[in-house]
């Protein structure tokens, strides 16, 4: 997982730099909070969850951004099936994002990308996995949001994102609804 | 109208030439290692059971169990192989210090007619540090489904941990050096393989496949331009695979090294080489598998003399003498083991070859190759003739007729592997005769005068192989517990086989930012197994200027038939359906994005790549046994300081 984080940050650091120097004034960072609603088996046997994370984005051009971050969630089982474990869910997205002005100070944002998803299974139910109690899998996502610039040029964004994780025997889908606040 | 078409055609060609020149290195950047780079082209036959270690042949009628493609590594052939697994990825070569220079259909300096050349990239004339690394994973982990679905087992999906190589080098006009180290790791398991290998040996089941390589190269240039160079290369392999000799999953170890001393430009045009290749192989124990350990060593002396007889006549004379030693080693004290070779033996082979090139005019050239080889009691002569002519301004015609003979190697002659649980065995055959490959080929290419690359190419060919060395299957079964197909087989000289086909290449552009590269091969495969009737590849490369390149690649090949893996209903103790030996068609779409910065801070060049291979997760199998290669994300980085 750490590799993907490093790679993601490195990718941002270099992809956008045409002059071969990082223009730090184009980098923004902040925090995010979101509500996660999975479907399929994950929605059936686990409760919905909240996620908390850190965000980074780089302005490629006036309307184009490259974004990454890390988000942490904890999923608890709903006791329909007792043999399933609770787990931590850590996601690291890499997103290309486009914004469009729809009203004064209000932007529509849309984008998509790939996401690394790590599942850390917990408790005695996870013991039958032996050493494989932490597994990562990729997913792809599309996102849509509304951005407003306020609070001394800081950006507040309300967004929704749907991602599909390439698991087997069927893919997992998760709907994220949340808020991002970029304060630098 | 005709004139308009002609002008349009010329414009397309001109634009293509510039753009293809710009994109010519793209395919190389797709590859993680030497093997995957080569297998991107349909010109090569690819056989592999995992994402790594592809057995790649450049001769259509090559038998998978007995590859006759020789790798020419740093000017000299590699004649020792692990259980006949002649993969580029088992050589101590990597993409930062080596390049695939050429494929030969008419080079008889060595014992093989069909060969692939891998040479060291020139050492830069300043202190330089280069690196190339990658990591990735196949998709398809079970994740939560291990808990939510009944009757599921853990699955080790193919994962690629951080892997790569680093090299430091320096040179001036007198001397130079290069030191290289690399590490490659991967899990080669998956849903189908898991069942087999966990039942074969649970200890090695969760072990990562890994390889380590190290190389050291130094050279000294004397005043009269003579160059003395010393090279040491080492590569290890530890992991699961399906070697062609055994055609069954085993856990292997291999330790290969080469010492090479080269003296070039002696008396102006004489090159002398001394080398030692050594491979220590091990088959680790498993259910029904006794371990074995064996050593193959080859000492060789090569000479190559270039003579300019006149402005239009060039003669190259080469000779080689090789001492080949192979023997069994004890596995571990007190442990029962099986001898992999039927006997320990030494033998000498030697050969003399000549290449004569005559240029009739600046645009019309002929080449004649001849080689005499002697090994044990076998004597054989190979030969080829090639005619090249520029028939129009940028159109090249190349006609070649070749007849090569192949001497069986020690695995085919003396190899032995027995499954003690079922008393199934694969055996060498010391009375094998050499096989002979005959090929006639016509190659018509339109070459861009801007880039020097082919824009249009048509290459019909006819191949005939006499006495092909192949494994004759006496019986095949599908086992009860693992579902693995096991074969009771022996090497034999099979009946003659022929193949007629044609290769086509078209490169085109729609504007200066989009290049389309396409190739296909059609073959009449009625008599030949393995070879699909139709293979094609289409690459569309979109340049985003300063933001890098995006490429989409579509690979398609029709089904092929592998009779030796046919299992009757009665012998199918796992599914009870039998297996008809058909390998399904492959249709795979992959996406790539690459981006280059030069310079970037302390880096002279920095290159990134993200690839999503097999986007639609379709069935992609190159052998009837082993896993399908599923959807995979790979991240790669390469740079130079």
């Amino acid at each position: 997982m750490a590799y993907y984080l490093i790679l993601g940050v490195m990718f941002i650091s270099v992809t956008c730099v045409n002059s071969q120097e990082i223009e730090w004034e184009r980098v923004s960072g902040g925090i995010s909070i979101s509500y996660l609603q999975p479907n399929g088996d994950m929605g059936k046997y686990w409760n919905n969850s909240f996620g908390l994370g850190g965000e980074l984005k780089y302005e490629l051009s006036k309307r184009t951004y490259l974004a990454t971050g890390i988000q942490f969630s904890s999923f608890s089982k709903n006791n329909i099936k007792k043999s399933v474990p609770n787990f931590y869910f850590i996601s690291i997205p890499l997103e290309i994002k486009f914004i469009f002005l729809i009203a004064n100070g209000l932007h529509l944002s849309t984008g998509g990308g790939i996401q690394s998803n790590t599942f850390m299974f917990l408790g005695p139910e996870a013991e039958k996995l032996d050493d494989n109690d932490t597994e990562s899998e990729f997913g792809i996502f599309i996102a849509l949001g509304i951005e407003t610039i306020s609070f001394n040029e800081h950006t507040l964004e309300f967004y929704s994102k749907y991602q599909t994780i390439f698991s087997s025997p069927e893919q997992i889908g998760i709907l994220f609804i949340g808020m991002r606040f970029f304060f630098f | 109208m005709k004139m308009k078409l002609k002008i349009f055609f010329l414009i397309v060609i001109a634009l293509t030439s510039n753009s293809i020149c710009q994109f010519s290195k793209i395919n190389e950047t797709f590859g993680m290692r030497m093997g995957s780079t080569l297998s991107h082209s349909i010109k090569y036959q690819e056989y592999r059971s995992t994402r790594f270690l592809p057995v790649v042949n450049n001769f259509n009628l090559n038998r998978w169990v007995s590859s006759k493609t020789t790798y020419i590594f740093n000017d000299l052939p590699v004649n020792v192989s692990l259980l006949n697994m002649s993969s580029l990825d088992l050589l101590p070569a990597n993409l930062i210090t080596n390049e695939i220079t050429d494929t030969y259909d008419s080079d008889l300096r060595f014992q093989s007619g069909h060969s692939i050349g891998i040479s060291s990239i020139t050492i830069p004339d300043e202190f330089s540090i280069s690196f190339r690394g990658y990591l990735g994973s196949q998709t398809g982990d079970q994740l939560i489904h291990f808990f939510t679905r009944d009757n599921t087992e853990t699955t080790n999906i193919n994962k690629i941990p951080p892997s790569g190589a680093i090299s430091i080098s320096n040179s001036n006009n007198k001397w130079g050096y290069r030191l290289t180290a690399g590490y490659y790791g991967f899990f080669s398991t998956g849903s189908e393989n898991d069942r087999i290998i966990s039942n074969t040996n649970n200890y090695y089941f969760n072990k990562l496949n890994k390889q380590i390589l190290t190389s050291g190269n130094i050279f000294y240039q004397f005043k009269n331009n003579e160059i003395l160079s010393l090279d040491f290369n080492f590569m290890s392999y530890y992991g699961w695979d399906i070697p062609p000799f055994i055609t069954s999953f085993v856990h292997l170890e291999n330790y290969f090294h080469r010492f090479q001393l080269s003296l070039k430009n002696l008396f102006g045009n004489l090159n002398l080489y001394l080398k030692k290749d050594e491979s220590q192989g091990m088959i680790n124990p498993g259910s029904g598998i006794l371990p074995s350990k064996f050593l193959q060593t080859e000492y060789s002396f090569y000479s190559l003399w270039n003579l300019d007889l006149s402005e239009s006549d060039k003669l190259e004379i080469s000779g080689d003498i090789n001492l080949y030693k192979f023997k069994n080693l004890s596995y571990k004290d007190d442990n029962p083991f099986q001898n992999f070779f039927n006997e320990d033996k030494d033998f000498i082979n030697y050969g003399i070859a000549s290449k004569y090139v005559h240029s009739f005019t600046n645009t019309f050239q002929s080449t004649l190759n001849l080689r005499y080889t002697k090994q044990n009691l076998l004597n054989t002569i190979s030969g080829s003739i090639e005619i090249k002519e520029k028939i129009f301004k940028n159109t090249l015609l190349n006609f070649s007729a070749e007849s090569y003979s192949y001497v069986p190697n020690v695995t085919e002659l003396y190899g032995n592997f027995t499954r003690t649980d079922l008393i199934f065995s694969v055996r060498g055959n010391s009375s094998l005769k050499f096989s002979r490959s005959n090929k006639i080929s016509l190659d018509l290419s339109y070459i861009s005068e801007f880039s020097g690359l082919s824009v249009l190419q048509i290459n019909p060919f006819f191949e005939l192989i006499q006495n092909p060395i192949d494994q004759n299957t006496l019986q095949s079964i599908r086992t009860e517990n693992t579902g693995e197909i096991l074969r009771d087989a022996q090497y034999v000289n099979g009946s003659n086989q022929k193949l007629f086909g044609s290769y086509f290449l078209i490169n085109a552009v729609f504007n200066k930012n989009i290049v389309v590269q396409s190739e296909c091969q059609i073959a009449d495969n009625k008599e030949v197994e393995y070879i699909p009737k139709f293979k094609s590849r289409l690459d569309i490369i979109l340049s985003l200027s300063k933001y890098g390149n995006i490429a989409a690649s579509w690979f398609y090949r029709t089904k092929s038939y592998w009779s030796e893996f046919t299992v009757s209903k009665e012998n199918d103790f796992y599914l009870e359906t039998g297996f008809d030996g058909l390998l399904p068609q492959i249709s795979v779409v992959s996406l790539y994005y690459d981006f280059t910065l030069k310079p970037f801070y302390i880096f002279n060049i920095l290159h990134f790549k993200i690839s999503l291979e097999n986007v639609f997760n379709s069935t992609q199998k190159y052998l009837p046994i082993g896993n399908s290669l599923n959807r995979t994300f790979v991240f790669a980085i390469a740079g130079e300081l």
Side-chain angles (χ1 to χ4, degrees), chain A residues 20 41 81 137 166 168 170, chain B residues 140-141 145 148-149 599 631:
Chain A
Q20 280 72 58
D41 282 3
K81 192 170 186 173
E137 187 53 275
F166 296 122
S168 173
E170 81 178 17
Chain B
D141 260 314
H145 299 117
T148 60
R149 305 289 171 102
R631 184 195 294 118

Side-chain angles (χ1 to χ4, degrees), chain B residues 337-624:
Chain B
F337 61 92
Q338 68 173 300
N339 287 333
F340 175 72
F341 293 119
N342 288 329
E343 53 184 300
D344 296 354
K345 208 168 177 175
D346 301 351
F347 63 78
I348 290 176
N349 67 29
Y350 60 87
I352 302 165
S354 68
K355 180 179 182 178
Y356 173 64
V357 181
H358 176 71
S359 301
F360 295 98
T361 66
N362 283 343
T363 57
F364 185 25
Q365 188 184 76
S366 69
T367 305
L368 178 68
N369 283 288
L370 282 173
R371 179 183 169 88
Y372 168 78
T373 306
K374 182 172 174 63
Q375 177 173 304
N376 291 341
L377 298 174
L378 300 175
N379 296 279
T380 179
I381 290 178
S382 300
S384 73
I385 185 162
E386 188 178 11
I387 295 167
K388 283 182 184 172
E389 186 177 11
K390 196 182 258 188
I391 51 175
F392 299 111
K393 192 182 172 191
N394 292 320
T395 308
L396 198 66
L397 180 72
N398 189 344
F399 169 80
S400 63
E402 307 150 6
S403 180
Y404 300 134
S405 53
Y406 297 102
V407 181
N409 65 33
V410 291
T411 304
E412 292 154 355
L413 291 166
Y414 303 106
N416 174 56
F417 176 78
T418 302
R419 289 285 297 238
T420 54
D421 50 351
L422 300 157
I423 322 295
F424 264 45
S425 67
V426 184
R427 295 179 301 282
N429 178 355
S430 59
S431 57
L432 282 176
K433 295 173 184 169
F434 57 82
S435 64
R436 180 168 287 278
S437 135
N438 306 287
K439 185 177 176 185
I440 298 173
S441 167
L442 187 72
D443 191 329
L444 192 66
S445 298
Y446 184 91
I447 310 289
S448 157
E449 63 187 62
F450 300 103
S451 65
L453 298 170
S454 291
V455 175
L456 293 168
Q457 189 183 355
I458 300 169
N459 175 208
F461 58 83
F462 173 77
E463 295 176 359
L464 168 70
I465 187 162
Q466 297 168 293
N467 297 320
I469 298 170
D470 200 5
Q471 282 187 359
N472 180 30
T473 307
L474 306 169
Q475 193 182 12
S476 293
I477 64 158
R478 186 141 52 173
T479 59
E480 196 171 356
N481 295 324
T482 63
E484 187 179 16
I485 295 176
L486 295 181
R487 302 167 57 238
D488 201 1
Q490 184 181 25
Y491 274 108
V492 293
N493 285 109
S495 54
N496 296 356
Q497 288 189 319
K498 58 180 186 285
L499 181 76
F500 175 76
S502 188
Y503 171 83
F504 303 92
L505 171 85
I506 302 170
N507 292 323
V509 291
F510 292 95
N511 63 47
K512 66 177 184 177
N513 291 325
I514 301 175
V515 170
V516 177
Q517 301 177 337
S518 61
E519 53 178 354
C520 71
Q521 181 175 296
I522 300 166
D524 171 20
N525 66 348
K526 281 177 198 149
E527 288 190 24
V528 190
E529 296 173 4
Y530 308 146
I531 313 296
K533 193 170 275 184
F534 182 77
K535 286 193 290 184
S536 67
R537 178 177 294 281
L538 176 70
D539 291 339
I540 301 170
I541 303 156
L542 171 67
S543 169
L544 304 176
S545 185
K546 58 193 177 186
Y547 293 119
N549 302 296
I550 292 175
S553 180
W554 176 46
F555 172 70
Y556 175 76
R557 56 181 264 176
T558 52
K559 65 187 177 188
S560 56
Y561 176 57
W562 298 58
S563 66
E564 70 231 68
F565 287 97
T566 304
V567 182
S568 64
K569 275 185 185 178
E570 302 76 52
N571 285 339
D572 189 346
F573 303 106
Y574 184 67
L575 294 177
E576 298 177 359
T577 57
F579 180 65
D580 58 11
L582 279 179
L583 190 62
Q585 69 168 34
I586 298 173
S587 177
V588 172
V589 174
S590 300
L591 297 172
Y592 305 88
Y593 171 73
D594 76 270
F595 180 79
T596 303
L597 287 166
K598 53 179 177 181
F600 179 68
Y601 291 101
I602 57 171
F603 299 98
N604 290 329
I605 186 166
L606 202 55
H607 182 90
F608 295 88
K609 186 191 76 175
I610 294 178
S611 56
L612 174 55
E613 297 172 8
N614 195 358
V615 175
F616 301 110
N617 211 24
S618 54
T619 303
Q620 184 185 7
K621 286 186 83 163
Y622 293 91
L623 287 173

